[in-house]
Amino acid sequence: MGLRKQLRKVFVTYLLIWAFLIASLPLRGQSIVTSSSVTGGSSAFVFRKAQKARKESALPSRRSRAKRSTEQRKDTQARISRQSRAVAKSNRNRRSTKQVNPQDFAKIDVVELERKSPQEASVVFAGLAEYYIEREEIDKAILAYEQAVELDKSNKDALLGLSESYTRKGDDALEEDDYGKAKRYYDEAVKLDPLNPSAWAGRGQYYDSLDQDEDAKSDYLKALSLDPDFNQVKLPLGIIYYQEGEIAKSDELVVAALSGDANNAETQYFLGLIRYKQGRDAEAETALRKAIALDDSNEDAHYYLGAVLNRMGREKDAVKEFERATQLDDKYVPAWFDLGVAYYNQERWVDSTKAFAQAIKFNSNQTEDLKKIYSESYANMAEGYRQLEEFDKAVTNYRIAVSRIKDDAELYSNYGFVLGRQEKWKPAIENFKKAAELQSDAISYANLGWAYLNQAAYDRSYNQPRSMIEGSLREAKPALAKAVQFDPSFVAAYLNLGVVLNDLGEYLEAAKALEKANSLQKDWGPAMQELGVAYSKLGKYSEAIKLFQKVLKQEDKNIWALFYLGEAEYRSGDKKEARKIQQRLQPLSRKLANQLETILRGNA
């Protein structure tokens, strides 16, 4: 009876003993996890990413809209209205009608006024209106202008003055959120004077308030074409270009707006967003910090500052900004998601799963971006529970994630890994197959072979028929052969292939695969130990002894290395040294020590 078969009978109740070690191997950002079975055989699973969250940020790489706060919109509207009045005053030089004060108007005899022609009377009323508008008595000015226009519809000054007055009324209505009234006033103002930049700017604000970007852009551009110095219009126009993904145009306009007023929180905020899009992170940080200094209540400014800092590698600082964003808005889904990512990357697994749970809880799934965040939140939460070794919770979240994300090989692979940790090897293998279908490469096939290998070890631990065990091993062999074909320098695949070949009794081929693993990664314990086993089976005891001794220098209490070393010493003829090894093994594993004792007595 072979040694491994004897050991199987001793440990039939043990199932698999897992000893997970993240190996520092040169795998282009990947990480290897090794495991050992009850028979001491090692195998390696490969994660594509080394302890990093799946998706680094909720921010989409394509065009994205940025939320504008009501307070900042109002502030921008107020700034436009103030400049609008200044522009209107400078445009009064287009009118030549002289003012008529109310006292002089009162002295005019009604009969005398009636004797005047309608055109003459219209001029008098227009003069009275000019007096009132100069003194900001807009309602009185409107009554006088309307009378002047009624008397003479061709009175140009009255038409221009009435356009200015209606613009003012539109601004007042917009400030009170009476959008219907504002629109009526602006429409009339534009009709009365198509060259009134303030009227176009005002109606642009109306459309902007309702996020009707195309109409707002058209009116803002008209206002600027009439008055290129209308700087306050440049910010909302630049914002619209940003929302449309026209970053260069947005940059030009926002910078121009900033030159006129550096203390506008919304201008600094959008400058920060533009610089973020351009990858100019230091400038983005400066602008966003200025925006926050001017208005700390903007959760988006904190969120984007966190994104900038995160991209600059300042993850701890980023976490503070994401946390502040969620304090300002406890339903802020992207901030919760990115906070979860940051916690995950800091190995704060519990905090990470809590943050992703919040990202799921408050996600309305109303847009494609939110739907993606929703799906990725489940995937990332599953990863967090995997790190916590709460495998039931991990499986629950993986199951939801793969029902929504059907094209991600890494997700299926990690799901399979966790199922393996639960010793559910058949569904694990199905997930690895799916991963290989989606991404046919060395990692996918190495992990598929790993799963078949562990299925065989699992069946062996339950004393299943040899045919069943060999069936899994023979499925593992071509998968691992394909892995090394894809990548001839893939050390993990060579280890797994060597273990499979050892278990199939193909020791010469096993030695070749394991020698390759050792040449690729010098002094890697699992590969040295398995190569030692192959050498022992081939009768190359001195080589095997050297390998087991090297393993024990790395890990002096490795019971399997001790066991195989004792056996190799005995087979090589050094029974005295074998006895010393058996005594060294005794306090570490009585069962293995007893098995070695059986060998030393010549009974195996």
Side-chain angles (χ1 to χ4, degrees):
M1 186 182 292
L3 174 62
R4 290 197 175 193
K5 190 171 182 181
Q6 292 179 36
L7 293 175
R8 256 178 262 133
K9 295 187 74 173
V10 174
F11 297 121
V12 70
T13 60
Y14 270 40
L15 304 179
L16 294 179
I17 299 171
W18 293 78
F20 285 89
L21 303 169
I22 301 298
S24 55
L25 298 181
L27 287 174
R28 302 176 290 280
Q30 301 141 13
S31 63
I32 285 182
V33 176
T34 60
S35 61
S36 63
S37 71
V38 294
T39 59
S42 297
S43 61
F45 178 88
V46 181
F47 287 101
R48 292 180 184 274
K49 291 183 180 179
Q51 299 296 334
K52 285 290 184 181
R54 289 169 39 78
K55 182 175 168 61
E56 294 299 309
S57 176
L59 286 172
S61 57
R62 60 180 179 79
R63 186 182 105 183
S64 60
R65 291 188 66 84
K67 190 172 72 175
R68 298 176 64 190
S69 72
T70 301
E71 294 76 12
Q72 290 185 357
R73 279 182 188 264
K74 286 294 184 183
D75 181 65
T76 298
Q77 286 178 3
R79 291 168 187 270
I80 292 177
S81 294
R82 284 196 295 272
Q83 188 172 20
S84 179
R85 294 175 191 182
V87 169
K89 284 183 179 180
S90 67
N91 278 338
R92 287 175 190 170
N93 59 19
R94 297 168 59 204
R95 307 199 294 267
S96 58
T97 299
K98 294 182 180 180
Q99 294 183 27
V100 176
N101 65 48
Q103 294 78 19
D104 291 340
F105 183 82
K107 292 176 183 178
I108 300 174
D109 186 85
V110 175
V111 175
E112 181 184 345
L113 189 60
E114 288 177 348
R115 288 190 187 128
K116 294 178 180 289
S117 68
Q119 290 79 14
E120 292 173 321
S122 176
V123 170
V124 174
F125 276 101
L128 180 62
E130 290 292 334
Y131 175 90
Y132 284 128
I133 200 169
E134 187 69 28
R135 287 156 182 78
E136 300 287 319
E137 298 183 55
I138 305 301
D139 288 336
K140 292 179 180 180
I142 288 174
L143 290 173
Y145 279 132
E146 287 178 338
Q147 185 62 48
V149 171
E150 186 175 336
L151 289 166
D152 181 7
K153 290 182 173 54
S154 63
N155 185 336
K156 181 181 177 182
D157 285 357
L159 293 170
L160 298 181
L162 189 55
S163 176
E164 179 187 341
S165 301
Y166 282 162
T167 299
R168 287 288 303 277
K169 293 294 286 185
D171 291 345
D172 293 342
L174 192 62
E175 184 178 351
E176 296 169 359
D177 297 329
D178 192 338
Y179 298 112
K181 183 188 287 187
K183 175 69 160 46
R184 289 192 294 273
Y185 277 123
Y186 290 136
D187 283 345
E188 283 300 313
V190 167
K191 184 192 297 185
L192 290 165
D193 181 11
L195 301 181
N196 178 355
S198 298
W200 290 103
R203 196 169 72 174
Q205 287 188 85
Y206 159 78
Y207 287 125
D208 200 359
S209 297
L210 301 177
D211 289 325
Q212 297 179 20
D213 289 352
E214 282 302 314
D215 290 327
K217 180 170 68 174
S218 176
D219 282 4
Y220 284 144
L221 287 170
K222 182 67 175 179
L224 276 176
S225 71
L226 294 169
D227 185 349
D229 295 326
F230 207 147
N231 287 326
Q232 293 298 337
V233 169
K234 293 177 180 178
L235 173 60
L237 182 57
I239 291 171
I240 290 172
Y241 279 124
Y242 175 87
Q243 309 285 33
E244 292 178 344
E246 297 279 355
I247 302 302
K249 291 181 180 179
S250 177
D251 188 354
E252 180 183 350
L253 288 160
V254 171
V255 168
L258 191 67
S259 65
D261 185 0
N263 292 320
N264 183 335
E266 190 169 39
T267 309
Q268 292 287 358
Y269 167 60
F270 273 93
L271 179 64
L273 301 191
I274 290 166
R275 295 292 177 258
Y276 176 84
K277 287 280 188 181
Q278 294 170 331
R280 296 159 65 177
D281 292 337
E283 295 172 63
E285 179 188 0
T286 298
L288 290 166
R289 288 198 184 281
K290 286 182 180 178
I292 289 168
L294 292 164
D295 179 10
D296 184 58
S297 66
N298 184 357
E299 65 273 16
D300 285 312
H302 286 283
Y303 171 66
Y304 275 91
L305 178 56
V308 169
L309 294 168
N310 195 43
R311 196 161 68 181
M312 294 170 76
R314 293 158 59 186
E315 206 162 63
K316 289 183 179 179
D317 293 332
V319 165
K320 293 177 183 177
E321 298 303 325
F322 293 141
E323 288 174 339
R324 177 61 177 153
T326 60
Q327 289 166 4
L328 291 168
D329 179 0
D330 63 359
K331 298 180 181 179
Y332 196 163
V333 170
W336 280 119
F337 182 90
D338 281 24
L339 189 56
V341 169
Y343 285 150
Y344 184 98
N345 292 338
Q346 292 179 353
E347 300 185 10
R348 295 168 60 180
W349 316 124
V350 173
D351 291 333
S352 173
T353 56
K354 289 179 179 178
F356 288 125
Q358 294 295 94
I360 292 168
K361 178 180 178 180
F362 297 119
N363 195 326
S364 62
N365 277 287
Q366 290 180 340
T367 66
E368 286 304 311
D369 288 333
L370 284 173
K371 289 176 183 177
K372 288 179 182 177
I373 293 172
Y374 189 77
S375 301
E376 288 291 342
S377 295
Y378 276 109
N380 276 299
M381 188 154 61
E383 294 289 280
Y385 282 125
R386 172 177 65 80
Q387 298 286 7
L388 290 167
E389 299 194 356
E390 296 185 33
F391 299 123
D392 287 340
K393 291 180 180 179
V395 165
T396 297
N397 284 282
Y398 277 125
R399 188 178 295 118
I400 296 171
V402 297
S403 73
R404 300 177 63 91
I405 306 171
K406 300 182 182 297
D407 59 352
D408 192 320
E410 179 191 7
L411 181 61
Y412 282 100
S413 185
N414 290 3
Y415 186 16
F417 174 83
V418 169
L419 288 168
R421 288 298 307 267
Q422 293 186 314
E423 299 169 355
K424 298 176 180 177
W425 289 108
K426 288 184 179 179
I429 287 168
E430 291 306 311
N431 277 279
F432 289 122
K433 285 181 178 178
K434 184 67 176 177
E437 289 171 9
L438 291 168
Q439 193 164 345
S440 182
D441 64 5
I443 292 177
S444 292
Y445 282 103
N447 287 338
L448 177 58
W450 172 86
Y452 277 122
L453 170 57
N454 280 282
Q455 172 74 71
Y458 177 81
D459 289 340
R460 184 184 298 123
S461 71
Y462 276 103
N463 209 24
Q464 296 296 325
R466 179 65 186 173
S467 59
M468 182 183 294
I469 296 166
E470 285 193 358
S472 295
L473 292 172
R474 296 200 183 282
E475 292 283 1
K477 182 178 175 180
L480 294 165
K482 188 173 287 189
V484 297
Q485 287 174 358
F486 273 116
D487 185 353
S489 62
F490 197 6
V491 63
Y494 281 109
L495 170 66
N496 290 344
L497 180 58
V499 175
V500 167
L501 293 169
N502 265 344
D503 283 353
L504 287 170
E506 300 175 23
Y507 301 116
L508 186 59
E509 293 303 312
K512 290 178 182 178
L514 293 162
E515 285 168 350
K516 181 68 173 179
N518 275 280
S519 70
L520 290 169
Q521 182 63 30
K522 187 178 179 182
D523 296 335
W524 186 28
M528 288 193 295
Q529 183 168 305
E530 283 296 322
L531 180 56
V533 171
Y535 281 161
S536 286
K537 294 296 182 182
L538 293 169
K540 301 168 72 172
Y541 298 118
S542 61
E543 291 95 329
I545 288 167
K546 289 177 183 178
L547 287 168
F548 295 136
Q549 287 173 340
K550 288 181 75 172
V551 172
L552 287 165
K553 282 184 179 179
Q554 295 178 1
E555 188 184 356
D556 63 353
K557 295 183 181 179
N558 183 325
I559 59 174
W560 286 104
L562 283 168
F563 178 86
Y564 288 128
L565 176 60
E567 181 191 20
E569 294 283 9
Y570 173 78
R571 303 292 184 197
S572 70
D574 193 342
K575 297 180 181 179
K576 184 177 180 181
E577 185 61 29
R579 176 61 63 187
K580 289 180 182 179
I581 298 299
Q582 193 273 343
Q583 291 172 354
R584 184 176 164 189
L585 182 59
Q586 186 70 38
L588 298 175
S589 174
R590 183 177 298 176
K591 290 180 180 179
L592 277 181
N594 290 342
Q595 286 297 313
L596 186 54
E597 177 67 26
T598 301
I599 293 171
L600 300 184
R601 290 177 180 177
N603 296 326

